Amino acid sequence: MNKLDTALVASALQDAGFELTESVKEADVVLINTCSVRRHAEQRVFSHLGHLKHIKKSRPDMMVGVIGCMAQRLGEELLNHDAVDFVCGPAQISQIAELIANDTQRKHKKPAITERIREKLTEEQNRALDDFECAYGIADRQIPGQAYVRVMRGCDNFCSYCVVPYVRGPEVSRPPAAVIEQIKKLAEAGIKQVTLLGQKVNAYKYIAGEKIYSLADLLAAASSINGIEWLKFVTSYPTEEFFDDILQAMAASPKVCSYLHIPAQSGSDKILRAMNRHYTAGEYLELLDEARKIVPDIAVAGDFIVGFPGETEEDFQATIDLIEKTRYKNCFIFKYSPRPGTTADKKLADTVPLQVKKRRNTELLAVQERISDELSREFLGKEVKVLVKGLSKKPHLNTAADRDNPQLLGRTAGDWIVVFNGPTSLTGKFVSVKITKTAPLTLFGELI
Ligand code: SAM
Ligand code: SF4
């Protein structure tokens, strides 16, 4: 979501006559796009701001803006920071060029955020956001050949630990016609993979008269667009609503990638209840069984939070048991971070000590690593189709000596990372790679 917002803002500013620079030293305007999901992410922003405050001493004309979820959450408090000139929330990003151009903003120091974040946006506000999205819903320059398309904004789920509903506002599904039009434009611009985004993307629901459009309808319509070869969607919420339809759409279209990112968050029913997740571990497993029945080769990824208030060793063991059964391709594990304003923070003390959270995090990662290792080995000797992202992250393997054949990185339809050598001209294209070696999260191979 944030990568998409960054790309939209960068495009809008370039349209308004700005140029992008990689160096803070050259920049007239510095924007920090922010995340509030965990405290650590917010702390890093403050440390960047400390650095910028220092630079501003010698360059007082440099403007600094904080955009995104932290801007919405902290508003005035951020504006009072010595380094900050303006603050712009997620619902105001369509005004970003104006905000920068508007000098009075600096004098008046008023944050551009939504005052009553849980109130539904007006039709006009929704349209402004949608127009912005459509105008700049172009290729995300960070990943050649790929683009993100938001299909839903906000969230109404109120998981007790989560700040998202308080910073991104109520759940809204975008009109299907706008989404499909945008994907067509992306295809014309050479985009091959589109990832549809929503906090609970499988709950996408747009009512037009008698017709209810679901994510399955979007996937079917997007599959018929020439040029689009892969469709992915994140993040799914474990609910039966629309679940079968979406999996049937996956099974029916070779373009819909057999990949599901479906966080469980915990394996303990007691903790799931306290998290306000509306399923039990058993129901979650049943959904995965159903998914594997309909799409046998489906790759599944998950998220977990360890050290949620009240999580005992027994609860944690239930999470380990769940991971053993689900056999995720990979999962993201987070230490519980209390977020101001959330129900968990208001009602439950952060009882699990940091040391225990760290230990559980490491233990869970080790279990997942073993499973990922077992699953990755199944690829040995096989050929996989890969969409090439670009140079791998190992700069020492991309030196002058390897200029014509550096180490490249891409992903399969099931989201496995594949590393191989080849010319950089393959970036943004599909290739076939024969897997010769595996690691828990990475497949290594040779270009065919
Ligand atoms: N909407 C998605 C869902 O329901 O799974 C994910 C949204 S959240 C931005 C991404 C992940 O961050 C969550 O799946 C959860 O594991 C983690 N997360 C959210 N709030 C957290 C918190 N307070 N502390 C630790 N991890 C958190
Ligand atoms: Fe947060 Fe839950 Fe909404 Fe995901 S579904 S964004 S975890 S409140």
Side-chain angles (χ1 to χ4, degrees):
M1 218 43 113
N2 274 10
K3 279 187 184 175
L4 171 60
D5 286 342
T6 300
L8 292 177
V9 164
S11 303
L13 291 184
Q14 285 175 97
D15 218 39
F18 290 85
E19 266 177 56
L20 277 176
T21 170
E22 292 294 316
S23 161
V24 173
K25 287 190 188 128
E26 278 177 15
D28 299 312
V29 182
V30 177
L31 292 182
I32 307 184
N33 193 10
T34 58
C35 171
S36 288
V37 168
R38 281 168 294 277
R39 196 160 75 104
H40 180 62
E42 292 199 342
Q43 282 168 333
R44 281 175 55 202
V45 172
F46 279 113
S47 99
H48 280 306
L49 287 176
H51 182 58
L52 289 169
K53 179 180 156 187
H54 186 68
I55 297 179
K56 268 189 133 180
K57 281 189 189 140
S58 53
R59 297 190 47 219
D61 285 342
M62 182 176 84
M63 285 182 84
V64 174
V66 179
I67 65 173
C69 295
M70 214 175 143
Q72 175 61 42
R73 195 176 87 73
L74 296 175
E76 291 278 348
E77 185 183 329
L78 274 172
L79 261 188
N80 290 335
H81 191 288
D82 289 343
V84 179
D85 294 297
F86 65 95
V87 160
C88 173
Q92 283 71 25
I93 56 166
S94 61
Q95 302 157 22
I96 190 79
E98 262 170 72
L99 271 176
I100 295 171
N102 187 356
D103 265 344
T104 57
Q105 178 74 21
R106 289 184 87 177
K107 286 175 201 143
H108 291 121
K109 287 232 164 193
K110 191 175 173 324
I113 55 174
T114 308
E115 257 175 51
R116 279 183 286 277
I117 189 70
R118 289 304 305 169
E119 247 172 40
K120 275 201 160 100
L121 293 186
T122 62
E123 248 178 58
E124 196 187 328
Q125 287 167 320
N126 260 325
R127 205 168 320 115
L129 279 175
D130 231 70
D131 289 349
F132 183 70
E133 204 109 30
C134 292
Y136 301 110
I138 54 148
D140 176 359
R141 279 146 223 231
Q142 297 164 40
I143 315 179
Q146 304 185 26
Y148 293 116
V149 172
R150 185 176 357 238
V151 298
M152 294 170 89
R153 284 191 277 272
C155 186
D156 285 348
N157 220 51
F158 291 99
C159 300
S160 63
Y161 51 80
C162 183
V163 79
V164 171
Y166 307 95
V167 286
R168 293 248 171 200
E171 187 179 289
V172 182
S173 291
R174 293 184 57 215
V179 171
I180 296 302
E181 193 50 40
Q182 214 176 330
I183 301 177
K184 278 187 186 152
K185 277 198 207 145
L186 289 166
E188 281 161 19
I191 290 299
K192 296 186 169 65
Q193 174 182 297
V194 165
T195 305
L196 306 179
L197 300 182
Q199 295 297 350
K200 204 178 155 188
V201 70
N202 50 323
Y204 174 90
K205 189 180 198 174
Y206 188 89
I207 303 170
E210 301 275 283
K211 169 86 183 148
I212 298 177
Y213 291 89
S214 69
L215 186 73
D217 295 316
L218 281 187
L219 291 170
S223 290
S224 67
I225 298 172
N226 278 339
I228 298 296
E229 296 197 37
W230 280 358
L231 287 160
K232 292 182 181 174
F233 54 90
V234 285
T235 300
S236 295
Y237 182 86
T239 165
E240 273 184 18
E241 203 188 8
F242 298 133
F243 195 69
D244 261 22
D245 299 350
I246 293 166
L247 290 163
Q248 295 295 355
M250 197 181 269
S253 168
K255 290 189 181 181
V256 182
C257 295
S258 305
Y259 170 68
L260 208 55
H261 180 199
I262 186 160
Q265 311 296 2
S266 171
S268 150
D269 290 345
K270 180 191 98 191
I271 297 295
L272 285 171
R273 250 190 327 274
M275 285 177 163
N276 196 30
R277 304 283 287 186
H278 306 276
Y279 53 86
T280 60
E283 284 163 351
Y284 180 85
L285 286 170
E286 274 171 30
L287 281 180
L288 283 199
D289 279 351
E290 201 177 318
R292 288 185 165 126
K293 248 182 240 153
I294 303 173
V295 184
D297 67 339
I298 199 163
V300 184
D303 291 359
F304 285 91
I305 295 176
V306 290
F308 187 80
E311 187 188 66
T312 59
E313 286 304 322
E314 205 182 344
D315 295 318
F316 176 62
Q317 186 55 47
T319 297
I320 294 190
D321 294 347
L322 185 73
I323 289 205
E324 292 281 7
K325 288 181 190 142
T326 47
R327 297 193 61 79
Y328 296 111
K329 159 197 162 287
N330 70 302
C331 64
F332 301 94
I333 299 163
F334 306 103
K335 295 184 282 294
Y336 171 66
S337 165
R339 304 314 294 135
T342 60
T343 324
D345 187 50
K346 282 190 217 154
K347 297 200 171 154
L348 306 167
D350 184 14
T351 47
V352 180
L354 184 60
Q355 279 312 100
V356 176
K357 286 181 186 170
K358 282 186 181 162
R359 188 210 359 112
R360 290 181 186 168
N361 193 336
T362 313
E363 255 180 64
L364 214 50
L365 272 176
V367 176
Q368 179 54 45
E369 193 169 308
R370 196 198 73 238
I371 296 168
S372 296
D373 193 33
E374 286 163 12
L375 293 177
S376 67
R377 279 171 202 275
E378 291 174 11
F379 285 91
L380 269 178
K382 293 197 177 140
E383 265 179 51
V384 291
K385 185 176 169 183
V386 175
L387 180 54
V388 184
K389 186 173 172 190
L391 290 173
S392 83
K393 288 178 193 151
K394 299 264 161 63
H396 65 282
L397 294 173
N398 298 326
T399 55
D402 297 310
R403 198 172 295 142
D404 297 330
N405 201 30
Q407 195 179 66
L408 300 178
L409 175 146
R411 281 188 193 255
T412 67
D415 213 49
W416 284 92
I417 297 169
V418 181
V419 170
F420 60 98
N421 285 77
T424 46
S425 56
L426 294 176
T427 300
K429 299 194 173 124
F430 284 103
V431 296
S432 285
V433 175
K434 183 166 181 178
I435 303 305
T436 52
K437 201 176 103 181
T438 63
L441 293 173
T442 316
L443 311 176
F444 300 86
E446 285 160 11
L447 190 63
I448 297 174

